[in-house]
Amino acid sequence: MTTTPSASDELPGTSMTDEDYGALRAAASLWSGTSVLITDQRGRVLVEHVDYLDTCLLPGGAVDKGEAPSHAAARELREELGITTTVERGLAVDWVSADRFGAPSAMRFPGEILYVYDGGTWTDAQIAAVRLPGHEIEAIECVEPARLPDLMAPGDARRALSALRARINGGGTVLLENGLPLAPTVLDTTRALSTARHARHYPFDPGPVPDGLTVRQSWGWLFAPDGRVLVLLGPDGEGACLPGGTSEPEDRGDPVTTLIREAAEEAAAQLGEPLFLGHLTDPAEPYARVRYAATLTSVGPVRPDPATGCTYVRVLATPEQAAELFDWGPSATHQLAAVHQARERLGIPRAARRPFTELTDPTTW
């Protein structure tokens, strides 16, 4: 009978039969499952309402014996949503401990490894093409990420948010334990997307502000030399914003002055000469919100915003990553096009997607 070297936690010099070694490993086995993170064009997460739970789930299910997890994910999409596709990009691998699942004792749940795959961003037409099986899946819904903890079991919500943050961050597949990342990114530590985003579906006009329309707010896409832009994150889930804000009397009605003042107050940021991008209008309110692009020249020490007392976390991200933190509706595409036109005029390269970088120290470019 052959013998197998002992596992690393066995006493040195001992050995085990193949049968004993197999029994040992089988006793430590875990379940294996998959889920697929799908978002709509507004960045909302697709969840399933099922008839066997009072909480929602991401599409997915158990991995069958001998089945690759990615094949299981594709099979579940076909069975649950009637969609035939492949899943090739992993977002997260989650170790779920036996004591955190809350399974009935009769189930003898041993723990589970769950693979979360990126199902991509689906158009309205793709979502309309979903065909439910007539059992188990009662309905699907695209929901604001901040609603996931209200709709899903706690571990499922943590896993889904961690996977969504990993997708936006662009740093590759993350390892989770009970839904939480072993190496949290700045999106995790600031609890990005845990507060509902405001729906700002205002039309974007690249032209000048019409005469007689008051400019109330001024915001900026501020470029670092590598083509990424400055984004401000609330330190405890308050959400994200671009540098900028509301005009004050000392600005004397000059939106450029407003932008320069707000960037200095919120982010200790100094910038070059701004380029006008366009404006947004809210049909319910008779004023304009203007957008500019400019180069970042420096950021000083981190300090609280004197107007709010909030100490923002300053990060660099691609314009596309920044837009994923907002709910701007269809106008986001038009605004991003204007941003990249201005970037080219400023002589700044287009940034490749990469993980968010936090700016903690004073920097001069």
Side-chain angles (χ1 to χ4, degrees), residues 8 13 24 41 47 51 55 83 90 94 121 134 142 157 160 195 202 204-205 231 241 243 254 258 294 302 344 348 359:
S8 59
L24 175 67
Q41 292 177 301
V47 298
D51 61 12
T55 55
I83 299 297
D94 189 15
T121 298
C142 290
T195 299
Y202 307 139
F204 177 77
D205 187 337
V231 181
C241 63
D254 181 8
T258 299
V302 175
E344 293 176 354
I348 295 173
L359 299 175

Side-chain angles (χ1 to χ4, degrees), residues 206-326:
V209 177
D211 292 338
L213 191 62
T214 301
V215 174
R216 176 97 37 105
Q217 295 178 329
S218 181
W219 306 85
W221 294 85
L222 308 184
F223 282 96
D226 66 359
R228 293 185 293 168
V229 295
L230 179 63
V231 181
L232 307 181
L233 302 176
D236 192 27
E238 296 90 344
C241 63
L242 296 175
T246 302
S247 176
E248 299 292 346
E250 62 265 32
D251 301 333
R252 299 182 180 277
D254 181 8
V256 171
T257 300
T258 299
L259 173 61
I260 292 171
R261 176 184 53 76
E262 289 282 354
E265 292 178 353
E266 295 174 338
Q270 303 296 317
L271 50 145
E273 184 68 25
L275 297 177
F276 181 77
L277 296 183
H279 67 280
L280 300 105
T281 52
D282 178 358
E285 298 180 315
Y287 64 83
R289 297 168 168 88
V290 294
R291 292 288 192 270
Y292 288 91
T295 55
L296 274 173
T297 58
S298 69
V299 292
V302 175
R303 63 192 183 201
D305 178 359
T308 64
C310 178
T311 302
Y312 290 103
V313 177
R314 308 173 303 190
V315 296
L316 294 179
T318 68
E320 287 71 23
Q321 286 172 306
E324 289 178 57
L325 298 174
F326 308 114

Side-chain angles (χ1 to χ4, degrees), residues 48-61 80 101-104 107 112 135-139 150-154 156-157 159:
E48 297 175 340
H49 295 264
V50 298
D51 61 12
Y52 54 91
L53 290 173
D54 58 5
T55 55
C56 294
L57 299 170
L58 296 183
E80 295 180 348
F101 185 70
M107 191 179 287
E112 187 169 20
H135 64 283
E136 292 190 358
I137 315 300
E138 297 180 322
D150 297 326
L151 296 171
M152 306 178 81
D156 293 342
R159 183 184 316 112

Side-chain angles (χ1 to χ4, degrees), residues 336-350:
L336 285 172
V339 168
H340 284 297
Q341 290 173 1
R343 174 188 55 75
E344 293 176 354
R345 289 174 58 191
L346 292 169
I348 295 173
R350 189 182 188 113

Side-chain angles (χ1 to χ4, degrees), residues 66-79:
E67 186 179 33
S70 62
H71 293 173
R75 173 179 55 76
E76 292 287 350
L77 289 178
R78 185 173 63 254
E79 293 175 356

